[in-house]
PDB file of all heavy atoms in Angstrom:
ATOM      1  N   LEU R  67     218.209  94.335  84.018  1.00 94.00           N
ATOM      2  CA  LEU R  67     218.323  93.851  82.632  1.00 94.00           C
ATOM      3  C   LEU R  67     219.499  92.891  82.476  1.00 94.00           C
ATOM      4  O   LEU R  67     219.390  91.885  81.763  1.00 94.00           O
ATOM      5  CB  LEU R  67     218.465  95.031  81.666  1.00 94.00           C
ATOM      6  CG  LEU R  67     217.210  95.866  81.477  1.00 94.00           C
ATOM      7  CD1 LEU R  67     217.524  97.118  80.666  1.00 94.00           C
ATOM      8  CD2 LEU R  67     216.108  95.057  80.821  1.00 94.00           C
ATOM      9  N   GLU R  68     220.603  93.187  83.130  1.00 95.00           N
ATOM     10  CA  GLU R  68     221.759  92.282  83.053  1.00 95.00           C
ATOM     11  C   GLU R  68     221.413  90.916  83.634  1.00 95.00           C
ATOM     12  O   GLU R  68     221.793  89.883  83.065  1.00 95.00           O
ATOM     13  CB  GLU R  68     222.963  92.893  83.783  1.00 95.00           C
ATOM     14  CG  GLU R  68     223.598  94.032  83.010  1.00 95.00           C
ATOM     15  CD  GLU R  68     224.656  94.788  83.801  1.00 95.00           C
ATOM     16  OE1 GLU R  68     224.839  94.528  85.017  1.00 95.00           O
ATOM     17  OE2 GLU R  68     225.301  95.667  83.192  1.00 95.00           O
ATOM     18  N   ARG R  69     220.680  90.899  84.757  1.00 91.00           N
ATOM     19  CA  ARG R  69     220.243  89.613  85.332  1.00 91.00           C
ATOM     20  C   ARG R  69     219.316  88.882  84.370  1.00 91.00           C
ATOM     21  O   ARG R  69     219.439  87.673  84.174  1.00 91.00           O
ATOM     22  CB  ARG R  69     219.541  89.830  86.678  1.00 91.00           C
ATOM     23  CG  ARG R  69     220.458  90.035  87.843  1.00 91.00           C
ATOM     24  CD  ARG R  69     219.738  89.974  89.174  1.00 91.00           C
ATOM     25  NE  ARG R  69     218.681  90.966  89.332  1.00 91.00           N
ATOM     26  CZ  ARG R  69     218.888  92.221  89.723  1.00 91.00           C
ATOM     27  NH1 ARG R  69     220.095  92.633  89.999  1.00 91.00           N
ATOM     28  NH2 ARG R  69     217.887  93.061  89.845  1.00 91.00           N
ATOM     29  N   ALA R  70     218.408  89.623  83.765  1.00 88.00           N
ATOM     30  CA  ALA R  70     217.451  88.997  82.843  1.00 88.00           C
ATOM     31  C   ALA R  70     218.155  88.409  81.632  1.00 88.00           C
ATOM     32  O   ALA R  70     217.872  87.279  81.227  1.00 88.00           O
ATOM     33  CB  ALA R  70     216.401  90.017  82.407  1.00 88.00           C
ATOM     34  N   PHE R  71     219.090  89.149  81.067  1.00 90.00           N
ATOM     35  CA  PHE R  71     219.779  88.665  79.875  1.00 90.00           C
ATOM     36  C   PHE R  71     220.756  87.532  80.192  1.00 90.00           C
ATOM     37  O   PHE R  71     221.097  86.746  79.318  1.00 90.00           O
ATOM     38  CB  PHE R  71     220.492  89.802  79.148  1.00 90.00           C
ATOM     39  CG  PHE R  71     219.546  90.703  78.401  1.00 90.00           C
ATOM     40  CD1 PHE R  71     219.473  92.052  78.710  1.00 90.00           C
ATOM     41  CD2 PHE R  71     218.727  90.201  77.406  1.00 90.00           C
ATOM     42  CE1 PHE R  71     218.599  92.887  78.033  1.00 90.00           C
ATOM     43  CE2 PHE R  71     217.846  91.029  76.724  1.00 90.00           C
ATOM     44  CZ  PHE R  71     217.785  92.375  77.039  1.00 90.00           C
ATOM     45  N   ALA R  72     221.188  87.447  81.438  1.00 93.00           N
ATOM     46  CA  ALA R  72     222.111  86.380  81.836  1.00 93.00           C
ATOM     47  C   ALA R  72     221.375  85.081  82.172  1.00 93.00           C
ATOM     48  O   ALA R  72     221.991  84.026  82.257  1.00 93.00           O
ATOM     49  CB  ALA R  72     222.943  86.824  83.029  1.00 93.00           C
ATOM     50  N   ALA R  73     220.064  85.151  82.348  1.00 90.00           N
ATOM     51  CA  ALA R  73     219.286  83.965  82.709  1.00 90.00           C
ATOM     52  C   ALA R  73     219.252  82.980  81.538  1.00 90.00           C
ATOM     53  O   ALA R  73     219.233  83.389  80.372  1.00 90.00           O
ATOM     54  CB  ALA R  73     217.863  84.367  83.089  1.00 90.00           C
ATOM     55  N   PRO R  74     219.243  81.689  81.856  1.00 91.00           N
ATOM     56  CA  PRO R  74     219.147  80.687  80.779  1.00 91.00           C
ATOM     57  C   PRO R  74     217.844  80.852  79.988  1.00 91.00           C
ATOM     58  O   PRO R  74     216.812  81.248  80.538  1.00 91.00           O
ATOM     59  CB  PRO R  74     219.146  79.356  81.531  1.00 91.00           C
ATOM     60  CG  PRO R  74     219.621  79.660  82.907  1.00 91.00           C
ATOM     61  CD  PRO R  74     219.325  81.106  83.171  1.00 91.00           C
ATOM     62  N   ASP R  75     217.900  80.548  78.720  1.00 88.00           N
ATOM     63  CA  ASP R  75     216.739  80.712  77.847  1.00 88.00           C
ATOM     64  C   ASP R  75     215.520  79.923  78.332  1.00 88.00           C
ATOM     65  O   ASP R  75     214.387  80.378  78.165  1.00 88.00           O
ATOM     66  CB  ASP R  75     217.065  80.296  76.411  1.00 88.00           C
ATOM     67  CG  ASP R  75     217.942  81.318  75.706  1.00 88.00           C
ATOM     68  OD1 ASP R  75     218.041  82.455  76.204  1.00 88.00           O
ATOM     69  OD2 ASP R  75     218.516  80.964  74.659  1.00 88.00           O
TER      70      ASP R  75
END
Side-chain angles (χ1 to χ4, degrees):
L67 289 172
E68 286 171 353
R69 280 191 300 276
F71 286 120
D75 286 344

